[in-house]
């Protein structure tokens, strides 16, 4: 049995991935609203967020 199996009382993989996706979306939303950084989304795989601090 794996560590992410239901037999040991851990959430199923789909639920973990759903939570991670929502956490990443929330982080990107916060970064998007932050006027102290310049933000870019690079189309690599599922997307790579780059943030550069403004002077």
């Amino acid at each position: 049995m794996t560590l992410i199996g239901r037999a040991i009382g851990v959430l199923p993989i789909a639920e973990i991935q759903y939570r991670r996706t929502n956490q990443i979306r929330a982080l990107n939303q916060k970064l998007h609203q932050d006027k102290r950084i310049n933000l870019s989304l690079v189309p690599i795989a599922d997307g790579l967020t780059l943030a550069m601090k403004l002077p």
Side-chain angles (χ1 to χ4, degrees), residues 14-34:
E15 181 67 23
I16 292 170
Q17 289 174 340
Y18 178 73
R19 285 185 178 184
R20 287 180 183 165
T21 299
N22 285 339
Q23 291 168 347
I24 291 169
R25 286 180 180 160
L27 172 64
N28 282 333
Q29 185 63 33
K30 283 185 178 186
L31 292 174
H32 177 71
Q33 295 171 354
D34 192 338

Side-chain angles (χ1 to χ4, degrees), residues 26-47:
L27 172 64
N28 282 333
Q29 185 63 33
K30 283 185 178 186
L31 292 174
H32 177 71
Q33 295 171 354
D34 192 338
K35 301 300 179 197
R36 300 171 295 169
I37 61 172
N38 189 1
L39 192 62
S40 256
L41 180 62
V42 182
I44 297 175
D46 289 334

Side-chain angles (χ1 to χ4, degrees), residues 1-2 4-10:
M1 189 57 58
T2 65
I4 305 179
R6 283 183 175 234
I8 56 174
V10 181

